[in-house]
Amino acid sequence: MKLTMLGTGNALVTEYYNTCFVISDKNQHFMIDGGGGNTVLHQLSHCGFNISDIRNIFVTHKHIDHLLGIIWLIRIICKAMNKEDYEGNAYIYGHDEVIDLLRDISTKLLFEKERKNLDKRLLLVKVKDREKINIIGHELTFFDIHSDKAKQFGFSMKLDRDEILTCCGDEPYNDSYKDFALNSKWLLHEAFCLHSEADIFKPYQKHHSTVKDACQTAEKLNIKNLVLYHTEDKNKNNRKQLYQEEGRQYFSGNLFIPEDFESIEL
């Protein structure tokens, strides 16, 4: 299995793409979020994914830097289906607000011929808090992260040998889903900026964490591997080094600060 980062930046970056990624197992792929625009098509292509590879997508919440790229995927997947270049069905998962918004936007913005397979072969699937679904051969449990901004779901995925990968979405971990996160082999967590630059980027006003915060959380939860994303882009040239240096002071496991297009073996 591997994790491929299509984008690693926060909502307002210009040097990265907005955070979204793909979890792959053999020839099956599970995409999480779509970023804020049609650049998602470039990111997928650059990482070697064809549109026909993308059959399972999860949208964590309705912020534009996570959702608007999904509209482009709906358009392109439906177009491929119309041309018989896409075999089988595609599934987009999300909580009720996300799915209702995706259907509403698609209905209003896409041509009728572009959306004729919507809800026929491209299926918009509402998931509930703590609901379990099998995706790419692995059991996933979706959970409400209890965001203070917009309703948002994360998920926990069973890997091989009963190991767990937990995705916290793009807000700080809270104990409402401790039963999923505790002792996870992998934790995917946002880190808006360095703690030493909190006065500059003001992460707490935006309901985000610093590298220090995320690493302290991972240490407390006994995490083996921590992946940090959804960051600022002013430190683009040395972000990995700076984040590693700060994070190592608070986290004893394996720390990953991936770049756009980087893959990590799970």
Side-chain angles (χ1 to χ4, degrees), residues 171-184:
E171 291 195 20
Y173 162 85
N174 71 61
D175 282 336
S176 67
Y177 52 91
K178 184 177 181 179
D179 51 327
F180 296 113
L182 185 65
N183 299 318
S184 290

Side-chain angles (χ1 to χ4, degrees), residues 4-236:
T4 301
M5 299 303 304
L6 304 177
T8 59
N10 65 36
L12 299 180
V13 293
T14 57
E15 300 299 320
Y16 301 117
Y17 188 55
N18 311 124
T19 293
C20 52
F21 53 93
V22 177
I23 297 174
S24 303
D25 190 3
K26 300 180 179 66
N27 295 319
Q28 298 186 86
H29 309 287
F30 176 45
M31 182 172 172
I32 294 84
D33 289 335
N38 72 345
T39 298
V40 69
L41 305 178
H42 170 268
Q43 305 301 95
L44 284 165
S45 177
H46 189 88
C47 290
F49 296 106
N50 295 316
I51 290 301
S52 59
D53 295 330
I54 306 303
R55 300 186 175 278
N56 293 278
I57 302 169
F58 170 52
V59 185
T60 58
H61 61 301
K62 62 184 182 181
H63 286 170
I64 59 175
D65 56 314
H66 296 261
L67 183 135
L68 290 188
I70 301 299
I71 301 299
W72 283 95
L73 287 177
I74 290 174
R75 180 182 183 186
I76 296 300
I77 291 172
C78 284
K79 182 178 180 180
M81 288 176 172
N82 293 344
K83 295 170 63 178
E84 299 185 357
D85 290 336
Y86 193 104
E87 295 182 1
N89 295 336
Y91 302 86
I92 300 178
Y93 303 92
H95 60 68
D96 55 348
E97 294 180 10
V98 162
I99 296 303
D100 288 344
L101 184 58
L102 286 174
R103 182 175 288 108
D104 184 50
I105 293 174
S106 298
T107 301
K108 290 177 177 176
L109 296 185
L110 301 185
F111 294 119
E112 184 175 356
K113 65 179 180 180
E114 291 177 326
R115 64 174 191 271
K116 72 176 186 179
N117 278 301
L118 191 65
D119 290 321
K120 294 180 180 178
R121 291 180 56 200
L122 198 166
L123 305 174
L124 303 180
V125 182
K126 294 182 180 181
V127 295
K128 298 179 181 179
D129 185 24
R130 306 268 167 162
E131 182 173 353
K132 298 181 186 297
I133 294 180
N134 189 288
I135 297 177
I136 65 167
H138 296 267
E139 183 183 274
L140 269 80
T141 305
F142 298 103
F143 54 79
D144 193 331
I145 72 166
H146 299 286
S147 168
D148 291 329
K149 294 189 294 184
K151 185 177 180 180
Q152 182 172 169
F153 277 16
F155 67 89
S156 176
M157 171 184 266
K158 286 189 177 181
L159 309 178
D160 297 334
R161 299 177 299 278
D162 293 327
E163 295 170 329
I164 299 295
L165 176 148
T166 300
C167 171
C168 301
D170 79 345
E171 291 195 20
Y173 162 85
N174 71 61
D175 282 336
S176 67
Y177 52 91
K178 184 177 181 179
D179 51 327
F180 296 113
L182 185 65
N183 299 318
S184 290
K185 182 179 180 182
W186 292 90
L187 186 73
L188 313 184
H189 197 288
E190 55 83 34
F192 198 81
C193 64
L194 294 164
H195 194 76
S196 61
E197 294 185 334
D199 289 344
I200 299 172
F201 294 105
K202 298 177 171 43
Y204 304 128
Q205 296 180 16
K206 304 175 179 72
H207 301 272
H208 288 304
S209 304
T210 66
V211 173
K212 175 184 175 181
D213 299 328
C215 287
Q216 287 180 325
T217 292
E219 188 72 14
K220 179 181 67 174
L221 293 171
N222 192 36
I223 302 300
K224 294 184 178 70
N225 302 281
L226 173 63
V227 180
L228 300 182
Y229 53 39
H230 206 269
T231 79
E232 48 78 26
D233 62 353
K234 302 303 185 289
N235 286 305
K236 184 178 189 301

